[in-house]
């Protein structure tokens, strides 16, 4: 179903009722979608799921990040939102099972997935430059970077709802993504024509964008397999 600019799907996993919300890209859209979900449905807990940029050099594409907190970095202060302790505990249990399953036969050619825990930094624009990523890693203490987690966390905090961010790594701290931002407006909406025009005028950008597409596909599959375990713990 469509509510405002966001799409919603209802489902279940055993006795667990699940509401899936497609928030869109960026903190403004994520905050609006989270608020609509909270006011329109009987939400008891919120889990922010998506992609993130690694801020640790040992992270690989497809590694998972379980956020112990999510925060904005503002000019004068930092707003931080702690993840719910029970949701974190169940994520720890699901992570152990996930890693065990990943190491079993059938995926030996795929680099073993690691699960990291720590703070996630939310920013208002796509960070493409590797030097800027490294600066944020050094100055903030965050282990991953995204554009939605703190926004959803703030909506959950206002409503006193349990919250947990889980992200999969889709780009690395030392990786330049020059050109990808042309596909997004400042509000986080897709601008395909501007993006295509950029590629036509900067042909070398195609390889970077295609690499990111491949990386997000890997990250998406890892998230799916992780939540297959996690939902059992939530039932």
């Amino acid at each position: 179903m469509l509510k405002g600019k966001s799409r919603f799907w209802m489902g279940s996993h055993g006795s667990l009722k699940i509401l899936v919300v497609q928030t869109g890209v960026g903190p403004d859209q994520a905050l609006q979608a989270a608020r609509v979900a909270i006011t329109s449905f009987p939400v008891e807990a919120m889990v922010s799921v998506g992609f993130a940029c690694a801020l640790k050099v040992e992270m690989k594409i497809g590694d998972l990040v379980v956020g112990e907190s999510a925060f904005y970095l503002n000019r004068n202060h930092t707003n931080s939102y702690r993840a719910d302790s029970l949701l974190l505990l169940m994520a720890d249990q699901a992570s152990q099972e996930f890693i065990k399953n990943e190491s079993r036969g059938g995926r030996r050619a795929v680099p073993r997935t690691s699960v990291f825990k720590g703070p996630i930094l939310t920013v208002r624009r796509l960070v493409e430059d590797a030097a800027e990523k490294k600066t944020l890693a050094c100055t903030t203490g965050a282990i991953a970077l995204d554009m939605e987690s703190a926004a959803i966390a703030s909506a959950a905090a206002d409503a006193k709802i349990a919250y947990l961010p889980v992200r999969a790594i889709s780009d690395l701290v030392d990786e330049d993504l020059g050109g990808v931002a042309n596909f997004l407006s400042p509000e986080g909406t897709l601008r395909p024509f501007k993006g295509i025009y950029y590629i036509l005028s900067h042909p070398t950008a195609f390889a970077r964008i295609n690499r990111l597409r491949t990386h997000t596909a890997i990250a998406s599959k890892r998230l799916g397999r992780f939540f297959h375990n996690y939902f059992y713990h939530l039932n």
Side-chain angles (χ1 to χ4, degrees), residues 161-177:
I161 292 173
Y163 170 77
L164 177 72
V166 178
R167 298 273 151 169
I169 297 301
S170 59
D171 61 292
L172 304 177
V173 67
D174 57 358
E175 183 179 15
D176 282 310
L177 296 178

Side-chain angles (χ1 to χ4, degrees), residues 100-121:
K100 186 184 299 183
N101 292 337
E102 290 289 289
S103 65
R104 288 173 180 165
R107 298 195 182 99
R108 292 174 183 170
V110 178
R112 181 173 176 176
T113 306
S114 298
V115 180
F116 294 83
K117 289 176 61 179
I120 297 174
L121 171 63

